[in-house]
Amino acid sequence: NAYLQNCVRVLCCSLSPATVFVFHVAALAAIKSVPPSIREAALGVGASKFQTTLHHVLPLSLPAFFKLLSTKSSKSAFEFARP
């Protein structure tokens, strides 16, 4: 049991630099997937850029973020485990 926990910790620590890059790429791709018309509409009714991002862009980008994250993290783990 303790051996398994140590193995998981080592794996997480060794994958952490790769996963930070994966998170960054997935977040940027998800945010860019939101149509510009959503931003323009929110700004047109008087919302600030912060409010537009917080209330419209982030909620609409979450499904794409999680889809890309699951795809890219599994690919990253597969490439790390390859001999």
Side-chain angles (χ1 to χ4, degrees):
N1 211 3
Y3 176 74
L4 182 62
Q5 289 176 348
N6 287 337
C7 288
V8 169
R9 285 184 188 138
V10 168
L11 181 63
C12 289
C13 290
S14 60
L15 280 178
S16 62
T19 55
V20 169
F21 180 70
V22 169
F23 280 121
H24 183 70
V25 170
L28 288 178
I31 289 172
K32 288 186 180 212
S33 71
V34 176
S37 60
I38 299 291
R39 291 186 185 100
E40 293 168 4
L43 293 171
V45 296
S48 67
K49 287 184 179 182
F50 178 75
Q51 290 172 330
T52 301
T53 303
L54 184 65
H55 297 293
H56 300 286
V57 174
L58 289 179
L60 289 173
S61 65
L62 284 179
F65 174 73
F66 287 121
K67 176 66 177 170
L68 288 168
L69 182 66
S70 65
T71 305
K72 292 196 177 279
S73 62
S74 63
K75 184 179 177 185
S76 174
F78 176 72
E79 288 178 0
F80 178 77
R82 208 180 330 169

